[in-house]
């Protein structure tokens, strides 16, 4: 209910007086959740393990591609506990040991950890080393014991380890040093003391090692050569048989190593299925007696009967996913099979030895926007009638996680939101007339009641129930989650592109998903095997004359990981999430340049640069071409070749020549280049200003009534390079060998406007560029601390315009156009400070008009967002500022930047795995919207100079009304009194 | 631990030193920009910002002569291109390489001799001027083994160059013997819109500046002693005494307004009474006088 005040100028004036005080940004406890929301995710599930013990029955342990291990509630899908391992600590396997420990193997098999199942506390951690890199396999046998110790068997880095489940101690280990040995499976037949390690050597030799599980003694080693070689993976059929494919993918091999004797049985796939074509791949599964292969679009399930005899049990051309096997009773194992059929999925639970009979068969309606089923995990429970019930956890193409039970989706988690690639904000539709007024009148009584409650709260008369009522009323305020535009601009849509190729629209009011859309263009298809979403741009932002149109966003994606792969464009309506159009391009998309021009329907012109350095104009319309032609000679861009250490500037030349006769294709030319010497400099960071940033004033008035002119150019590029030696981790080099050079480069002419070297400094460098300043963060090896530096750049060519008379008589050059081809006359000011934290991301607040002072938003290593006033990073700070400087608001110089605990924007919360911070200006000048994303999402509103232009949320209108009424009453009473008195005076 | 102590001690002394000498300037020796105007060339007519001002050649080189170890002369060529044409030689830079005792090499005494335009080139350049196209130049990225890794390209709209003759300005950013970038353009401004203007004489006057990287100012390091020393010194900078007006304008203006208001009121009042009372009593008198009879009348 912030109402824009009519006293803005007055308040601004008041603010000027207040600005010398450090604004306190903290939040009261009862304000948490009023304007901010926080959502927790885990990412795409890689592996799920169900706890079978009594206490843990309601839980499932998952590991994800975001390197999260989490314990989820099976009833509701909530997170019990969660740990985010570092980005280089990839989880290889998880399992449950002794029913109460979660065992994780990570970091390429070199770290084994145990976590307490109920609360997620770490119990122990062991580091496993080995002679060489290899596949990592984790095996937790249920009943293998060495001296009452339960054992975990780990194969990692070319070594087999047996680790105690209790304390993580390595009981024995055994090296597999044979050069080319590639481990495929580690098998522990239940009830025996043997471990089989099988794998390939030299790609055509099958090796089998039999090892005593008690002491790691090698009992038997057999190898057999198969002339045509093997193809990647094997599938375990039984504890003494595996299935594999030959290197051409056309012959099936069943390899049995019973009693240490290896024998091959070959079966050409064409014998089993007639119309098979192309090489097959094995689908990894662990169902005993059955394995699955896939050729083209057909999935074939094959049963192994007896000695190497194969039998096809089912062929299907639907998309199919198979779960792991689940032992349900003595000798019986069940597994789940999920198949797609139109808008439904069919779930079947079967026994391993009985393909035709179904324990369970269900059809579940599935949202088309979730795509295909990628993974299935099965779990059983005892029904009320004592029979077996099954529930399955499925992972969908959009990375969401669903629990199916009794033919329904019990819960779902949108874990695609844990891997956001790009974010952009969109306005909501304008409110139509006659919607809200009636609602307000209807709720007039409620409204008054609410304000009375607030008044009570203000006057400290409220009872605890009242306080609770006030709090819940504030949190549930329907105002903030409406689907229409508000006049303060707080309500917006955040359009989010995830790694799964799904677009989500989140409402800024409460963070709910307004719509989601799995991009068709990002679907796997014949033409495009592995599409990758890259970026998102605002394609159409209607305002003024084109208000009837819905805004739309442009999603750029690419077929395949190489930068030369052809691009795909999709245009998506921001209100409904409908894909308006999608274009498969013939050319690649290396760079996208949104141009500052729009056509009559407010579609923004974009220039796409392909790998052959042709520029393509979109939208492909004659109107756009006309606009483009007018500005043809004023379009410049740059490209950074990080590997070569070259930055180049480009301009347009002429229409494309050659085979493609296309009006919208243009040749380009190189205008300038900056070549960093490869032996001394390596580019590690490049930052530009945000293209939509608004700068309120170019002039900056400094203490002694002097004016400095900010050098504001949209074409400035900040580049940081380090010594190639020093590009590794912090501490890997001595200060003498390491330096950091930063540049400010004009991207039209290639001029280096500023260049400065920090000796003894090292990356990683995080930087933010805004207005005429850049702030960057790096490590100082000499001081053993992180440092932040600021560079401000000022224009000297306008410095003569200080004379008032010149301005009055019009003899100034303030309105003359600036050409970057003129020699720039700039001066820079810079200063460095120590900073305690290492940083994950830096952003800066942005407001509608750029009047409000700025704050830096620093994503700290603790996954929190810290707001730091830009005034702390003012190069004009000095130890003893003069009185005039103090009045201006210059803070005395300190060697390090203060971290005020109250200025954490995220207050008590953490945005796990923080990757990016986005700021969006609200319509209200004082306020900016902040969205931080990583594995978690966090959104809040910030007012860097407090809300000087509106009344606060908890402003008591009732109190105001009451005061007015009281005043009016007092006026009447005194008037009456004075009348009477005067009358008496007259009669005297 | 000892090393840390030593480092701390060094830092302390450094910071002490820096405090007493410059306030918060870095105490490290800033290597002078190696900037030399072209010898024999006319001094630039346009005022240059201090950072790129051509240093007097002789003093700078003499200073260097004392500590240089070896000297060798090198040459590298400047190529140019008209619009999208191929590059052709346009001139030669010659310089001395100075090898420092610590192994680094830098260029000094940069001279530039430019070839005059041939008729063909003159025609090409005229075409460029007419079509407002780019005049491009390039330098090798390594002066010892040209072209090094790649060529350094720079370009400018041809219409920016002509004045009397053709004026050009090079700022060559060096890193040892590597050329990092070259900023090429007119020595002054090049106002937009660019008008077509042919040069009177077809000869170049060139200004060249060599630039090396600057040292960043170090983060200030405060310690207890230094702060104590500062306070003990008692050298508190007195704020400059401001005028009476500057101090109290905020009181003076309302005061002035009030006074003015009062004056106008005082001026208006007699008039009102004149107009209000004359027809009734025909007795022009001051307000104070007037009030007497009226109150007397009321008492009646």
């Amino acid at each position: 209910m912030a109402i824009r005040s009519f006293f803005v100028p007055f308040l601004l004036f008041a603010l000027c007086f207040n600005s010398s005080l450090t604004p306190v940004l903290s939040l009261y406890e009862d304000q948490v959740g009023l304007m901010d929301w926080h959502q927790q995710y885990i990412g795409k599930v890689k592996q799920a393990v169900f706890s079978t013990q009594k206490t843990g029955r309601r839980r499932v342990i998952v590991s994800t591609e975001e390197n999260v291990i989490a314990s989820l509630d099976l009833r509701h899908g909530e997170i019990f506990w969660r740990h985010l391992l570092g980005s280089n600590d990839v989880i290889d396997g998880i399992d449950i040991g002794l029913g109460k420990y979660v065992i994780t193997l990570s970091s390429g098999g070199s770290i084994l950890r145990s976590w307490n199942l109920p609360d997620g506390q770490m119990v122990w951690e062991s580091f496993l080393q080995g002679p060489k890199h290899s596949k990592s396999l984790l095996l937790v046998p249920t009943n293998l014991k060495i001296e009452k110790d339960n054992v975990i068997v780990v194969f990692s880095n070319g070594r087999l380890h047996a680790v105690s489940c209790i304390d993580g101690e390595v009981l024995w280990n055994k090296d597999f040093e044979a050069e080319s040995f590639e481990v495929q499976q580690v098998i522990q037949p239940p009830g025996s003391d043997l471990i089989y390690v099988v794998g390939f050597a030299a790609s055509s030799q099958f090796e089998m090692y039999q090892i005593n599980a008690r002491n790691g003694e090698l009992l038997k080693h057999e190898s057999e050569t198969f002339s045509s070689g093997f193809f990647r993976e094997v599938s375990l059929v039984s504890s003494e048989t595996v299935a594999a494919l030959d290197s051409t993918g056309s012959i099936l091999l069943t390899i049995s190593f019973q009693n240490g004797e290896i024998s091959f049985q070959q079966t050409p796939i064409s014998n089993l299925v007639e119309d098979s074509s192309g090489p097959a791949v094995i689908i990894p599964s662990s169902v005993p007696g059955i394995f699955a292969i896939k050729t083209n679009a057909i999935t074939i399930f094959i049963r192994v009967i007896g000695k190497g005899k194969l039998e096809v049990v089912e062929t299907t051309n639907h998309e199919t996913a198979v779960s792991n096997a689940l032992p349900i009773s003595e000798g019986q194992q069940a597994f789940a099979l999920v198949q797609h059929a139109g808008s439904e999925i069919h779930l079947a639970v079967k026994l391993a030895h009985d393909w035709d009979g179904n324990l369970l068969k269900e059809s579940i309606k599935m949202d088309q926007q979730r795509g295909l089923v990628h993974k299935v995990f099965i779990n059983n429970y005892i029904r009320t009638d004592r029979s077996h019930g099954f529930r399955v956890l499925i992972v969908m193409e959009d990375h969401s996680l669903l629990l199916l039970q009794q033919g329904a989706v019990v819960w779902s988690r949108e874990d695609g939101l844990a891997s956001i690639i790009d974010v952009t904000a969109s306005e909501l539709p304008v409110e139509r007339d006659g919607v809200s007024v009636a609602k307000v009148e209807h709720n007039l009584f409620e409204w008054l009641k609410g304000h009375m409650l607030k008044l009570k709260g203000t006057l400290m008369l409220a009872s605890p129930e009242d306080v609770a009522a006030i709090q819940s009323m504030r949190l549930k305020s329907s105002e903030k989650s409406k689907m229409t535009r508000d006049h303060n601009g707080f309500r917006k849509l955040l359009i989010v592109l995830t790694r799964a190729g799904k677009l989500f629209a989140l409402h800024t009011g409460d963070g709910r998903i307004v719509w989601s859309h799995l991009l068709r263009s990002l679907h796997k298809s014949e033409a495009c095997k592995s599409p990758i979403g890259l970026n998102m741009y605002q394609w159409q932002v209607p305002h003024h004359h084109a208000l009837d149109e819905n805004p739309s966003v442009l999603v750029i994606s690419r077929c395949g990981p190489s930068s030369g792969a052809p691009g795909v464009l999709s245009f998506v309506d921001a209100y409904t999430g409908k894909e308006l159009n999608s274009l498969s391009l013939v050319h690649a998309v290396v760079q996208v340049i949104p141009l500052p021009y729009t056509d009559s329907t407010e579609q923004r012109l974009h220039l796409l640069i392909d790998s052959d350095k042709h520029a393509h104009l979109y939208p492909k319309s004659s109107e756009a071409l006309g606009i483009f032609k007018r500005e043809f000679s004023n379009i410049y861009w740059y490209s950074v070749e990080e590997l070569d250490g070259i930055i180049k500037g480009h301009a347009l030349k002429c229409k494309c020549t050659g085979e493609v006769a296309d009006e919208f294709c243009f040749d380009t030319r190189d205008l300038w280049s900056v070549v960093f010497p490869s032996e001394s400099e390596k580019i590690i960071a490049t930052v530009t200003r945000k293209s939509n940033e608004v700068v309120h004033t170019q002039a900056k008035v400094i203490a002694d009534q002097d004016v400095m002119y900010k050098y504001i150019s949209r074409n400035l590029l900040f580049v940081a390079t380090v010594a190639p030696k020093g590009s590794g981790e912090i501490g890997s080099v001595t200060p003498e060998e390491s330096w950091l050079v930063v540049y400010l480069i004009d991207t039209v002419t290639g001029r280096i406007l500023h260049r400065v070297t920090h000796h003894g400094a090292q990356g990683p460098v995080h930087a933010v560029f805004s207005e005429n300043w850049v702030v960057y963060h790096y490590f100082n090896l000499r001081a053993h601390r992180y440092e932040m530096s600021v560079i401000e750049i000022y224009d000297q060519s306008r410095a003569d315009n200080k004379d008032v008379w010149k301005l009055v008589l019009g003899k100034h050059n303030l309105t003359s156009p600036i050409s970057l081809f003129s020699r720039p006359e700039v001066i820079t000011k810079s200063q460095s400070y120590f900073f305690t934290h290492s940083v994950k991301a830096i952003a800066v607040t942005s407001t509608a008009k750029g009047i409000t002072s700025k704050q830096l938003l620093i994503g700290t290593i603790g996954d929190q967002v810290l707001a730091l006033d830009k005034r702390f990073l003012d190069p004009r700070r000095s130890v003893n500022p003069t009185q005039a400087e103090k009045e201006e608001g210059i803070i005395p110089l300190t060697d390090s930047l203060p971290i005020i605990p109250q200025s954490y924007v995220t207050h008590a919360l953490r945005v796990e795995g923080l990757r990016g911070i986005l700021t969006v200006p609200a319509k209200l000048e004082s306020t900016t919207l902040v969205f931080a994303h990583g594995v978690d999402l966090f959104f809040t509103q910030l007012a860097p100079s407090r809300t000087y232009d509106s009344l606060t949320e908890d402003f008591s209108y009732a109190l105001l009304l009451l005061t007015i009424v009281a005043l009016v009453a007092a006026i009447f009473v005194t008037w009456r009194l004075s009348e009477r008195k005067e009358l008496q005076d007259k009669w005297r | 631990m000892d090393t840390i102590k030593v480092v701390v001690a060094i830092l302390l002394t450094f910071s002490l030193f820096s405090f007493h000498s410059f306030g918060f300037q870095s105490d490290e020796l800033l290597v002078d920009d190696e900037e030399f105007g072209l010898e024999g060339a006319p001094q630039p007519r346009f005022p240059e910002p201090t950072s790129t001002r051509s240093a007097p050649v002789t003093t700078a080189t003499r200073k260097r002569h004392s500590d240089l170890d070896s000297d060798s002369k090198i040459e590298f060529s400047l190529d140019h291109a008209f619009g999208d044409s191929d590059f052709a030689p346009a001139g030669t830079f010659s310089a001395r390489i100075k090898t420092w005792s610590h192994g680094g090499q830098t260029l000094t005494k940069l001279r530039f001799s430019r070839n005059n335009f041939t008729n063909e080139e003159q025609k090409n350049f005229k075409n460029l001027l007419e079509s407002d196209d780019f005049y491009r130049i390039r330098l090798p990225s390594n002066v010892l083994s040209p072209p090094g890794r790649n060529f350094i390209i720079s370009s400018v709209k041809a219409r920016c160059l002509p004045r009397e003759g053709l004026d050009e300005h090079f700022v060559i950013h060096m890193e040892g013997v590597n050329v990092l970038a070259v900023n090429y353009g007119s020595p002054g401004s090049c106002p937009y819109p660019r008008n077509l203007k042919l040069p009177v004489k077809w000869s170049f006057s060139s200004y060249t500046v060599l630039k090396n990287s600057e040292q960043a100012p170090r983060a200030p390091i405060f310690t207890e002693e230094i702060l104590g020393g500062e306070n003990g010194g008692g050298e508190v900078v007195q704020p400059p005494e401001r005028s009476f007006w500057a101090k109290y304008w905020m009181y003076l203006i309302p005061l002035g307004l009030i006074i003015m208001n009062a004056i106008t009121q005082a001026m208006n009042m007699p008039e009102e009474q004149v107009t209000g009372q004359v027809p009734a009593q025909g007795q022009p008198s001051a307000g104070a006088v007037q009030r007497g009879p009226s109150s007397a009348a009321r008492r009646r």
Side-chain angles (χ1 to χ4, degrees), chain A residues 223-244:
Chain A
S223 69
E224 195 79 36
T225 311
F226 180 70
S227 53
S228 57
F230 300 99
F231 186 70
R232 292 193 303 207
E233 291 197 334
V234 298
S235 181
L236 194 64
V237 176
S238 73
S239 60
E240 287 173 334
T241 319
V242 293

Side-chain angles (χ1 to χ4, degrees), chain A residues 13 17 633-634 636 643-646 648 651-653 669-681 739 741 743 748-759 776 778 780 782-785 787 789 817-827 830-834 878-880 882-884 887 893-896 986, chain B residues 4 7 11 19 24 28 46-52 83-84 132-134 136-137 141-142 149-157 160 169 171-175 178-194 211-223 227 230 235 237 239-240 242 249-250 298:
Chain A
F13 191 65
F17 280 105
S633 63
N634 287 333
Y636 300 88
L643 290 177
D644 296 336
I646 298 177
K648 280 183 180 162
L652 295 161
K653 193 155 85 178
R669 57 178 167 198
D670 294 356
L671 285 187
W672 54 266
S673 62
V674 174
V675 180
F676 296 104
S678 55
E679 66 273 15
S680 64
E681 292 185 36
W739 54 84
V741 193
Y743 298 88
V748 171
T749 60
R751 276 177 210 276
I752 296 182
L753 295 176
H754 183 63
R755 174 185 175 198
V756 72
T757 309
H758 295 267
H759 283 287
Y776 52 101
Y778 53 91
N780 185 335
R782 288 216 169 91
H784 311 285
R785 283 202 259 183
E787 245 176 49
S789 287
I818 303 171
S819 170
L820 290 168
F821 289 107
S822 305
R823 220 181 90 196
E825 296 171 45
V826 296
I827 53 162
S830 62
Q831 212 165 51
S832 303
Y833 320 87
F834 294 119
S878 58
V879 186
N880 287 315
T882 61
Q883 195 57 39
E887 269 171 28
L893 183 64
T894 47
D895 58 350
S896 54
K986 281 180 184 168
Chain B
I4 293 169
V7 168
L11 289 178
F19 247 83
F24 279 94
E28 284 181 8
F46 300 92
E48 299 204 357
T50 47
S51 61
T52 59
D84 300 310
D132 192 22
D133 210 345
F134 287 101
R136 302 197 292 160
I137 58 143
S141 67
N142 189 313
R149 224 149 55 84
N150 214 321
F151 282 104
I152 311 289
I153 304 170
S154 187
S155 42
V156 72
K157 289 272 184 189
C160 288
H169 186 270
V171 183
I172 302 176
H173 290 267
M174 302 289 298
E175 173 69 49
N178 291 303
V179 180
L180 209 82
V182 54
N183 303 345
Y184 179 70
S186 72
S189 67
C190 177
Y192 187 87
R194 293 177 284 271
K211 268 195 153 185
N212 277 312
S213 184
E214 286 170 29
Q215 290 264 350
R218 273 221 312 251
I221 297 171
F222 291 150
T223 54
L227 285 175
E230 277 287 316
E235 217 180 293
V237 183
R242 287 178 305 167
W249 61 271
M250 63 284 267
R298 235 181 250 159

Side-chain angles (χ1 to χ4, degrees), chain A residues 713-728:
Chain A
S713 162
R714 294 219 177 278
N715 305 303
L716 272 185
L717 173 69
F718 168 84
V719 181
T721 66
V722 289
K725 262 190 181 173
S727 57

Side-chain angles (χ1 to χ4, degrees), chain A residues 296-297 319 523-531 559:
Chain A
N296 287 342
E319 286 293 338
H523 239 44
K524 269 179 207 164
S525 64
E526 285 302 306
C528 191
K529 285 272 190 278
S530 55
C559 291

